Amino acid sequence: MTPGDDPGGDTGVPAPAPLTVAAAERRLVLLTVTRWLPVGLVFGLTVLLPLERGLGLTEVGTLLAVQGFVVLALELPTGGLADALGRRPLLIVAGGLAVVSSLLFVTASGFWMFAAALVLQGVFRALDSGPLEAWFVDTAHAADPAAPVERGLSRAATALGVAIAGGALAGGALIAWHPVHAWSSLVPPFVVATVLTAGHTVLVAVLVREPRHPRVSEGRRRVAADAPRVVLAGLRMLRTAPVLRSLVLVEVFWSFAMIAFETLTPVRLATLVGGEDAAGALFGPSAAAAWALFAAGSAVAGLVSRRAGVSATAIGARILNGLMVVAMGLVAGPVGLIAAFWLAYLTHGAAGPMHAALLHRQATGANRAVVLSMNSMVAGGSYSLGLLLLTPLADALGTGVAFVVAGSFSVVGALLYLPARRQEISAG
């Protein structure tokens, strides 16, 4: 909070007591669980459901790319709004859009209906990208400027992995159970995920507390007008801050690996086991184990970084992750694929909180959401372009070749952590 802010506005109602670092961390972890549990329920099914309804792999890749390009276009404007208007309003709107897009996706029967759902999903992801994390860091620093936010971010990443693991296990169980025979077995996980997303949105409205922006009383229109200024300041920072620029560019390489182990794994598994329904039932428990390993990787990275440093841990995790993706392309059979998939997620979980911690070191409370949005913007754009390259490659030469290409490319991106490493060493 800056001097002169009036958390109670003009209402005369006393402001609630500020949150402690521990309380903010608990809320971050809880909201991370409720945010990502629905994602776990449908993990992998976003690819399998359109394939089951008659779309080709290249068409599915195009749909997912459309979603990414929407995120690319909106990341910075929504990040500016989050820094200008506050994190809470954008998180609530994002939750509402997530519910609508999920309902549209599960009822879609052709390319354009799926496209409309994924456009809305892209808007939701742009609004949701960064505000909760930025709220936690700002709240923690308001309570204690020296608070070790890496600990909270690592715990949140661990909670994310546990939530997706539990959701994936439940999603696989729902598919195997197939409780509503009038529907495809892939549909019930989407229905449950939609209900849980609505519940998450309610929790955000209750638990995310932040001081009112000092100019809210002058009207939201004037506050919103500050968003372009915040965005431009963020872009200038990206141009003039070489460490931040290198960190953001890591996402270009990282995104290609993510396409392989997120999008192409269920496709390859469906080929190996003979169909989307069988792959969905098997992929659920496999993904649950993978996300449990993701959580373990996040927890271990938090411990390793205390001795080796955040940047060194990020470099090691990124290299190992890329090598595991290469291994996924080289192994034969579903057992080898799933084992390499698990190791890819273990190292993916270790890399995520370290990358986030390095980003937060380059940001301030005034531009934190924009910095995170710039990172997500580059990630989303790279992911979309990668889909347009890797899915046709997988169609033409097989998913194994696509895995090897994506993993090898991702390893190279670890070099971009070196400026952050030099900065960390010089800071002592």
Side-chain angles (χ1 to χ4, degrees):
M1 187 189 307
T2 58
D5 285 3
D6 176 13
D10 299 325
T11 65
V13 177
L19 291 174
T20 64
V21 175
E25 189 173 296
R26 285 193 297 270
R27 294 187 182 201
L28 172 69
V29 170
L30 174 60
L31 292 172
T32 298
V33 169
T34 58
R35 162 66 177 86
W36 292 98
L37 181 61
V39 174
L41 277 163
V42 299
F43 187 70
L45 306 186
T46 304
V47 177
L48 295 179
L49 186 63
L51 289 174
E52 184 182 67
R53 293 184 178 174
L55 274 65
L57 179 57
T58 300
E59 286 182 302
V60 173
T62 302
L63 285 171
L64 297 176
V66 166
Q67 175 187 248
F69 286 130
V70 172
V71 176
L72 176 67
L74 295 180
E75 274 286 8
L76 280 181
T78 55
L81 284 174
D83 282 331
L85 285 174
R87 317 332 185 177
R88 182 174 178 272
L90 266 69
L91 288 169
I92 293 172
V93 173
L97 285 174
V99 171
V100 174
S101 65
S102 182
L103 289 172
L104 185 56
F105 188 88
V106 79
T107 57
S109 58
F111 180 88
W112 292 109
M113 287 184 69
F114 280 115
L118 288 173
V119 166
L120 286 178
Q121 186 77 5
V123 178
F124 148 64
R125 286 182 53 197
L127 290 168
D128 181 75
S129 174
L132 180 61
E133 201 172 282
W135 167 82
F136 161 70
V137 175
D138 288 343
T139 303
H141 282 167
D144 177 7
V149 297
E150 290 89 351
R151 183 186 65 182
L153 294 173
S154 181
R155 289 180 177 177
T158 302
L160 182 152
V162 171
I164 297 185
L169 192 60
L174 277 172
I175 294 171
W177 179 25
H178 198 176
V180 184
H181 292 288
W183 298 346
S184 159
S185 64
L186 301 180
V187 169
F190 282 97
V191 175
V192 176
T194 303
V195 174
L196 292 177
T197 300
H200 164 76
T201 306
V202 173
L203 279 178
V204 166
V206 173
L207 296 179
V208 174
R209 270 189 1 223
E210 56 186 349
R212 293 188 64 187
H213 194 283
R215 285 162 289 179
V216 166
S217 59
E218 300 175 21
R220 290 188 179 273
R221 184 176 300 177
R222 186 175 299 179
V223 177
D226 278 349
R229 176 186 58 78
V230 176
V231 170
L232 290 174
L235 288 173
R236 283 194 296 270
M237 185 181 180
L238 189 63
R239 188 183 72 246
T240 59
V243 175
L244 176 61
R245 184 169 60 248
S246 294
L247 290 173
V248 169
L249 287 176
V250 168
E251 294 286 5
V252 175
F253 298 84
W254 190 352
S255 295
F256 274 69
M258 290 177 66
I259 291 168
F261 60 73
E262 284 187 354
T263 301
L264 295 180
T265 300
V267 176
R268 190 174 188 193
L269 190 59
T271 301
L272 293 174
V273 299
E276 288 80 15
D277 286 354
L282 181 58
F283 189 71
S286 300
W291 281 101
L293 289 168
F294 176 99
S298 298
V300 170
L303 298 174
V304 172
S305 66
R306 297 176 190 175
R307 180 178 296 272
V310 173
S311 57
T313 306
I315 291 170
R318 180 62 41 234
I319 292 173
L320 289 173
N321 179 255
L323 292 176
M324 291 306 103
V325 173
V326 171
M328 291 178 71
L330 297 177
V331 297
V335 174
L337 175 67
I338 290 170
F341 173 66
W342 286 344
L343 292 175
Y345 264 88
L346 176 71
T347 52
H348 183 46
M354 298 300 100
H355 186 81
L358 292 172
L359 280 175
H360 283 297
R361 291 179 180 180
Q362 307 302 314
T364 67
N367 64 13
R368 197 172 306 280
V370 166
V371 167
L372 296 176
S373 290
M374 286 190 295
N375 185 78
S376 294
M377 179 187 72
V378 173
S382 302
Y383 199 98
S384 298
L385 290 173
L387 282 165
L388 296 178
L389 295 172
L390 288 177
T391 50
L393 180 66
D395 253 346
L397 299 178
T399 51
V401 173
F403 276 109
V404 172
V405 170
S408 301
F409 187 66
S410 182
V411 168
V412 176
L415 295 173
L416 290 166
Y417 281 124
L418 292 178
R421 178 63 178 163
R422 288 192 290 269
Q423 185 183 70
E424 187 176 58
I425 292 172
S426 65

